[in-house]
Amino acid sequence: MKPEKTESGEQPQRAGQKDDKETEVTIYRLSVKNQKKHLDTCALVEQKRHPGLIREESFTVKDSGLIAVDHAAIIVQALTILQSRCDLQ
């Protein structure tokens, strides 16, 4: 799993408003290979982070490949949590 591109910007936000310029977007490419089953596929997952007093994070599957429904987003979310915990140590 690796991020393909990152965009971010900062601008003040009023209560109750969401400003896309403040949102950080990262696209991950998740590759899955299984030689026994002759499986080689990938999925694209978009991570959006809204900073501020109430931090919000979402993961959306943009292209699932042969991976079922939202499993790619769940895997990427788990890997980003593990990565952040390893970075703290």
Side-chain angles (χ1 to χ4, degrees):
M1 174 188 79
K2 62 178 184 172
E4 293 207 343
K5 81 176 177 182
T6 303
E7 300 171 18
S8 64
E10 294 180 7
Q11 191 168 357
Q13 182 177 352
R14 294 184 185 151
Q17 267 188 334
K18 287 191 178 182
D19 191 352
D20 286 338
K21 293 181 182 178
E22 201 173 292
T23 302
E24 181 181 315
V25 178
T26 306
I27 305 291
Y28 290 94
R29 183 172 188 261
L30 179 67
S31 296
V32 177
K33 294 180 183 182
N34 184 328
Q35 291 179 349
K36 283 185 179 179
K37 297 189 179 203
H38 305 289
L39 176 70
D40 186 2
T41 189
C42 66
L44 293 178
V45 178
E46 179 182 77
Q47 175 190 25
K48 287 186 181 180
R49 283 193 225 158
H50 305 282
L53 183 59
I54 300 174
R55 286 176 258 144
E56 187 180 325
E57 184 176 50
S58 65
F59 293 84
T60 307
V61 177
K62 293 298 182 181
D63 180 15
S64 62
L66 298 174
I67 301 172
V69 192
D70 61 346
H71 291 121
I74 294 167
I75 292 167
V76 170
Q77 183 177 15
L79 289 172
T80 58
I81 290 169
L82 289 172
Q83 185 177 23
S84 68
R85 289 181 184 175
C86 289
D87 290 344
L88 293 175
Q89 295 177 355

